[in-house]
Structure formats: C-alpha cells, structure tokens
Amino acid sequence: MIVFSTSDKGGTGRSVTSCNIAYRLCAGGRSVAYLDFDFGSPTAGALFEIGGVEQGVPEKGLHSYLTHGSEPVARVDIRAATDRPALRNIRSRTGQLVLFPGDEGGAEFNGIDDETDAVVGRCITLLAALEQEFDVAVVDLSAGRSLAMELALRATASPHLSSATVRWLVFHRWTRQHILAASGLVHGHHGLLAGAALWGHDKKKFLENLRYVRTAVPRLNKSVDGVYRGAQAAWLTEQNAALKALASRHLIGATSLLGETPVEPVLQWREQVILDTDVANKIANPETAAAFDELTARLIDTEYWEQF
C-alpha cells in the first residue's frame, strides 16, 4: 500500500499525524517506509527525533535521487537511529520503520522541464520497489498544489503501479478557512481531481481512495481547566454545527472522513510521536493515542474503504 499525505496549508498536522500513523503501523507488526517528499522543508527526521537528520541528509536524499538519479537513496532505520530511548527500545511485535529523508537545504522543483519525464520515471521506480519491500509506504507531500503532488499523480497513473493499493489522505484543521482550503485542494480548478483526470486516473476510482483527516478538533465538553459552561458552551456547539454543514456543502463531510484527532497539548508544544509511555506517564492524553489507533485501523481496513 502507498499512502500519500497532503494538505492545502502548512500547520495542519499532516506530518506529525502521518508520523504517528507510520509508528502505529510499525508497532502493529507491519514494515513501513516513510518518504519525506516535502522537498523544500524536509524535517521528518526531527519528528522522529533523529540527530543529524532533523533537516534532511547532506547527500543521497530523495530530491537528489529524483533530480539526478543519485543511488542508493539514503535510508535511516528509525528505531536504531532515534535519540529517543522510549522509541528506540520498542521491540516486541514491531516491524521495520525506515525513513527516506529529503536533502539538507532542500528545495522544491523549479517547474516542468525537459527532465520531468526522467524524474517521474525515477519516482515510479522508487515507489514500485518500496511497495514490494514494505507493507506500507507513507509519502508526506509538501503543502498545496506542489510539483510533489503532480509527481505523485503522474507516477501512480503509470501501469507499473496499476496493481498497487494507493490511498490519499487530505489533512485540515477544524476551521472555516481550512475546510475551504481542503475542498479547493481536491475539487478546485487545479486540484487533485483535475490533476488526476489530466494524468489518466479514473476520477470516480480516485475519489473512492481519498479521505479527509480533521486535526486539532476541540472537545466540546472540555476546556483547558475543566468544562465549557453557559454561553461559551452554546457558542462552541453552534460553531461546530456550522463547520459540519460547511464541510458537507463543500464535499468533505462525514461520508468522506477517515477520522479526526483532538487538540493535544503535547503536539502543540512539541511535534513528536505519541508513545504509550507518554499516555501511561500522563503526559499525553489517551484520547489522542486512541485517535491515532483509529486512523491507523481504518487506513488498512479494506472493508472500511469499500463501504463508501
């Protein structure tokens, strides 16, 4: 399975949620590749707390491979390389968890040029190889209508990946602005669906393999210090209903939702993988870990995707 994580805006929780899904897939016994396709800001190493890789690698990163064919592509065994003891010491039932980092001081592709077909070809070769080697390959795309998004669309339209299971996850925060932006990214004039059709995807099938993830959703019955009360509680309930209606009108409502994550103080202060030890030590909220577990279970549940 190949999973593309995308969003129209930065700050949606796309990368940190994708990292947590990758970790929980690994903790459940699956082998997972995590590809940092955020070429302009390759910081997945920081999320996994790998010293020296926080902003990519000095050579043989994904950008170098795609643009120049530099091989072999750098790969980092996350559990062996992480500076975080609790993540490093997880052993039982776990599968592989491998980071394919971007290039240090990386940059987005400048545009379409004569080398584009070669870049797409290298991307196809890489994704096809990883789809065979790993149970799941999570590809974290840069925000917006980037060339990374176009590259993913063109590569997955190739006959070489026709037998692969491909999922698209679109992340957005639970606000008016983010709902509109997420809808535009998918349904807009230059959005995912238009790009999918342009490069040969079947739009209906493509949409069937796309779901939304809402992040940092407030719990209506709780505030930082207890329970929302009176006018504040009524106002929040009203706004939540208005957001649900807005999402439905813009075709990103509950019927196309993979799941949501709650507001989590740990992730507001420090983007990281939430471990069971964080919950046991009462640092992270159990609702957050449960949300990541639910997203992970639904992502790999074939029946869940077939019911839509």
Side-chain angles (χ1 to χ4, degrees), residues 120-151:
V120 174
R122 293 180 193 117
C123 185
I124 292 168
T125 299
L126 177 64
L127 293 177
L130 296 183
E131 195 265 339
Q132 291 296 312
E133 181 181 353
F134 294 88
D135 296 318
V136 183
V138 179
V139 185
D140 184 10
L141 301 175
S142 49
R145 294 159 178 78
S146 64
L147 288 183
M149 185 180 85
E150 180 180 326
L151 183 60

Side-chain angles (χ1 to χ4, degrees), residues 188-208:
H189 184 61
H190 296 290
L192 273 168
L193 287 181
L198 176 65
W199 298 113
H201 291 272
D202 178 273
K203 287 178 68 173
K204 183 176 182 294
K205 183 178 179 181
F206 185 88
L207 198 56
E208 288 173 351

Side-chain angles (χ1 to χ4, degrees), residues 197-301:
L198 176 65
W199 298 113
H201 291 272
D202 178 273
K203 287 178 68 173
K204 183 176 182 294
K205 183 178 179 181
F206 185 88
L207 198 56
E208 288 173 351
N209 287 295
L210 183 149
R211 296 289 183 274
Y212 298 90
V213 179
R214 300 171 184 170
T215 60
V217 179
R219 292 174 293 167
L220 292 180
N221 63 331
K222 292 238 178 128
S223 65
V224 175
D225 59 352
V227 179
Y228 293 120
R229 296 177 177 84
Q232 185 181 52
W235 185 86
L236 287 170
T237 300
E238 179 183 337
Q239 296 310 308
N240 188 58
L243 291 176
K244 287 182 177 180
L246 182 68
S248 180
R249 289 199 304 274
H250 286 272
L251 306 177
I252 65 170
T255 57
S256 55
L257 183 69
L258 185 72
E260 59 185 37
T261 64
V263 174
E264 169 56 60
V266 168
L267 299 182
Q268 289 180 308
W269 283 91
R270 191 171 190 272
E271 295 175 324
Q272 65 174 56
V273 174
I274 298 291
L275 303 175
D276 291 340
T277 54
D278 297 321
V279 177
N281 293 331
K282 298 185 178 180
I283 296 169
N285 292 322
E287 294 88 352
T288 304
F292 289 144
D293 281 335
E294 184 175 61
L295 287 171
T296 304
R298 289 180 174 180
L299 177 63
I300 59 177
D301 183 354

Side-chain angles (χ1 to χ4, degrees), residues 72-236:
V73 184
R75 56 167 70 195
V76 180
D77 183 324
I78 291 172
R79 286 184 298 161
T82 182
D83 298 324
R84 189 176 181 190
L87 180 56
R88 187 169 58 246
N89 293 333
I90 292 181
R91 292 288 180 264
S92 62
R93 296 191 306 109
T94 53
Q96 277 187 294
L97 183 56
V98 178
L99 170 65
F100 289 77
D103 288 84
E104 193 174 75
E108 271 289 358
F109 293 99
N110 292 326
I112 303 298
D113 55 33
D114 293 339
E115 292 297 317
T116 298
D117 287 344
V119 172
V120 174
R122 293 180 193 117
C123 185
I124 292 168
T125 299
L126 177 64
L127 293 177
L130 296 183
E131 195 265 339
Q132 291 296 312
E133 181 181 353
F134 294 88
D135 296 318
V136 183
V138 179
V139 185
D140 184 10
L141 301 175
S142 49
R145 294 159 178 78
S146 64
L147 288 183
M149 185 180 85
E150 180 180 326
L151 183 60
L153 288 170
R154 293 180 63 170
T156 52
S158 165
H160 298 285
L161 291 172
S162 60
S163 63
T165 298
V166 178
R167 309 293 193 211
W168 289 81
L169 301 183
V170 178
F171 292 80
H172 67 89
R173 292 175 67 89
W174 194 224
T175 70
R176 287 177 53 83
Q177 186 182 29
H178 281 267
I179 289 170
L180 295 172
S183 177
L185 177 67
V186 176
H187 299 282
H189 184 61
H190 296 290
L192 273 168
L193 287 181
L198 176 65
W199 298 113
H201 291 272
D202 178 273
K203 287 178 68 173
K204 183 176 182 294
K205 183 178 179 181
F206 185 88
L207 198 56
E208 288 173 351
N209 287 295
L210 183 149
R211 296 289 183 274
Y212 298 90
V213 179
R214 300 171 184 170
T215 60
V217 179
R219 292 174 293 167
L220 292 180
N221 63 331
K222 292 238 178 128
S223 65
V224 175
D225 59 352
V227 179
Y228 293 120
R229 296 177 177 84
Q232 185 181 52
W235 185 86
L236 287 170

